[in-house]
Amino acid sequence: MNIFRFAGDMTHLASVLVLLLKIHTIKSCAGVSLKTQELYAIVFATRYLDIFTDFISLYNTFMKLVFLGSSFSIVWYMRSHKIVRRSYDKDQDTFRHYFLIVPCLLLAMIINEKFTFREVLWTFSLFLEAVAILPQLVLLQRTRNIDNLTGQYIFLLGAYRAFYIFNWIYRYFTEPHYVHWIPWIAGLLQTLLYGDFFYYYFHSWKNNKKLQLPA
Amino acid sequence: DTEPKSHDEL
């Protein structure tokens, strides 16, 4: 494992912890898209089907359990926790899941490295992860006011994706035959979706002002 | 048959 991959995993972990911190301690999920969180739960459930069959390392297994556990518990908090669910912006978070799920599934059935059940679902999880942030970005545009924790959550998620790109570049030059077009293109697209957000995030940070997206 | 190397990532 190289430093970029590790930094990516740690920013990903930090993003989840920031979100859980907000939900668990402040008991609020204002500004957080349940649609995005449900999509992430589907992403991890379909990607980590190999968790009990293919052992890579203790680190990998542990992190997979963390991402599965955290994504499903965030969904549970937002849907079922009697205090947290009251702060959910239900009327603003109207993005339809299946507009993203169905095309990703169809695309994964056409474009994949091997046409097997697990490989197609693994590819589906990559495509879905690439676009899963969209309901969250739409919700941010609508509510416009972003609290610090929500802003940091999205920033850390974007940083995780950027570190993964550096990880692929590093692996491409250091490992023979390391070429994986599908995760690379899906990952690049995913990172680009954060571009706009990054711009406003750094802008507000530089000017020491509250993060606000333009109408 | 071993897993593709990309599957060792999260």
Side-chain angles (χ1 to χ4, degrees):
Chain A
M1 180 158 48
N2 59 66
I3 187 74
F4 303 111
R5 154 83 195 276
F6 187 67
D9 288 347
M10 288 306 110
T11 40
H12 192 187
L13 184 65
S15 75
V16 173
L17 291 178
V18 163
L19 188 55
L20 274 172
L21 178 82
K22 173 180 158 93
I23 290 176
H24 187 80
T25 59
I26 307 172
K27 295 279 187 288
S28 162
C29 62
V32 179
S33 166
L34 176 61
K35 310 282 175 155
T36 285
Q37 297 307 318
E38 286 176 339
L39 291 174
Y40 280 137
I42 297 170
V43 164
F44 295 129
T46 49
R47 185 173 307 167
Y48 299 155
L49 288 172
D50 62 354
I51 187 166
F52 297 116
T53 55
D54 297 280
F55 181 77
I56 292 159
S57 66
L58 260 182
Y59 171 84
N60 260 48
T61 306
F62 175 75
M63 293 295 272
K64 284 175 178 175
L65 286 170
V66 168
F67 290 133
L68 278 169
S70 57
S71 61
F72 278 91
S73 53
I74 289 166
V75 169
W76 176 84
Y77 261 116
M78 293 183 72
R79 294 186 82 102
S80 309
H81 190 280
K82 65 177 192 286
I83 300 165
V84 175
R85 73 173 184 202
R86 275 189 241 145
S87 58
Y88 171 46
D89 304 311
K90 196 177 176 205
D91 300 330
Q92 309 258 31
D93 189 25
T94 53
F95 205 101
R96 302 265 179 267
H97 299 91
Y98 50 83
F99 282 161
L100 298 177
I101 294 173
V102 175
C104 286
L105 196 57
L106 291 176
L107 201 62
M109 284 162 85
I110 301 164
I111 303 169
N112 52 63
E113 285 182 25
K114 208 162 57 173
F115 192 74
T116 60
F117 178 74
R118 256 173 38 178
E119 199 60 28
V120 167
L121 282 185
W122 182 80
T123 312
F124 163 73
S125 82
L126 291 177
F127 293 156
L128 191 63
E129 188 187 358
V131 291
I133 196 68
L134 285 175
Q136 178 66 67
L137 294 177
V138 168
L139 181 64
L140 279 191
Q141 276 294 348
R142 285 191 183 156
T143 51
R144 293 189 59 215
N145 261 334
I146 307 152
D147 63 78
N148 282 335
L149 287 178
T150 310
Q152 276 155 19
Y153 166 67
I154 298 165
F155 172 75
L156 287 165
L157 268 182
Y160 142 60
R161 294 316 311 180
F163 279 125
Y164 256 72
I165 290 177
F166 291 121
N167 158 53
W168 293 327
I169 295 169
Y170 182 87
R171 290 188 75 172
Y172 176 78
F173 286 110
T174 54
E175 292 177 33
H177 316 298
Y178 184 76
V179 178
H180 295 286
W181 288 111
I182 298 172
W184 290 354
I185 291 169
L188 191 63
L189 168 74
Q190 187 179 357
T191 315
L192 290 175
L193 292 181
Y194 289 91
D196 208 41
F197 175 83
F198 274 144
Y199 173 80
Y200 291 106
Y201 188 88
F202 283 118
H203 195 74
S204 74
W205 182 66
K206 202 178 77 190
N207 299 324
N208 207 8
K209 277 203 297 219
K210 192 171 157 50
L211 177 60
Q212 231 180 13
L213 298 181
Chain B
D1 192 27
T2 52
E3 284 293 308
K5 273 183 182 171
S6 54
H7 290 26
D8 63 12
E9 290 172 353
L10 297 163

